[in-house]
Amino acid sequence: MATILVVDDEKLVEQMIEERCHRSGYKTASFDDPRKALAFMERNKDVIDLAIIDKDMPHMKGPELAEELCRFRPDLPIILITGHINKQIENRSINLVLEKPISKNTLIAAVERYIGKE
């Protein structure tokens, strides 16, 4: 069973993504603080198959977190989520950008695109 790293400082969004992933057969490791997610990733880099991270968070922005995550796993697929796409996000560590609110079908289709169906 694939494991998805979920990082969003909005607890309700984090829980919604986690629930949608669980219902589709994926495990999750969820954090509302990017620093805690990085500490987890450092210890568990071989466990995570994909990351879904928020663009705007305190302590560290999503694109910066994506780069840090890729230091541990350069091949890690990363989906960035944002409440407002107002400019092109240039970051080679990010595979896909999705705009909130995200429908269940859109989210799971994106996950399956990078790690397959469970």
Side-chain angles (χ1 to χ4, degrees):
M1 179 183 300
T3 302
I4 300 168
L5 179 69
V6 179
V7 188
D8 196 308
D9 63 308
E10 293 180 55
K11 198 64 174 167
L12 289 176
V13 174
E14 176 193 343
Q15 290 171 342
M16 177 272 303
I17 293 170
E18 189 175 39
E19 179 182 317
R20 289 178 180 178
C21 290
H22 288 174
R23 286 186 178 180
S24 295
Y26 301 100
K27 293 192 294 185
T28 60
S30 298
F31 300 90
D32 59 4
D33 184 327
R35 299 169 300 182
K36 291 179 182 176
L38 271 179
F40 174 85
M41 186 67 174
E42 186 173 15
R43 294 185 314 272
N44 300 281
K45 62 184 170 214
D46 295 327
V47 173
I48 301 300
D49 299 292
L50 173 110
I52 300 173
I53 60 175
D54 188 25
K55 179 180 174 278
D56 295 309
M57 296 178 285
H59 311 296
M60 186 180 300
K61 300 298 180 199
E64 181 184 353
L65 176 59
E67 289 178 13
E68 292 295 318
L69 291 172
C70 285
R71 284 189 318 113
F72 300 116
R73 282 273 308 282
D75 62 333
L76 181 71
I78 298 176
I79 298 171
L80 185 77
I81 57 174
T82 180
H84 44 83
I85 298 176
N86 54 4
K87 62 181 178 177
Q88 186 68 15
I89 297 169
E90 297 292 331
N91 186 305
R92 62 188 173 152
S93 301
I94 296 168
N95 297 85
L96 180 65
V97 178
L98 296 176
E99 189 169 11
K100 295 178 191 176
I102 305 164
S103 74
K104 178 185 180 213
N105 292 342
T106 299
L107 178 68
I108 298 308
V111 168
E112 290 174 355
R113 176 178 173 184
Y114 293 102
I115 60 175
K117 290 187 177 190
E118 286 296 301

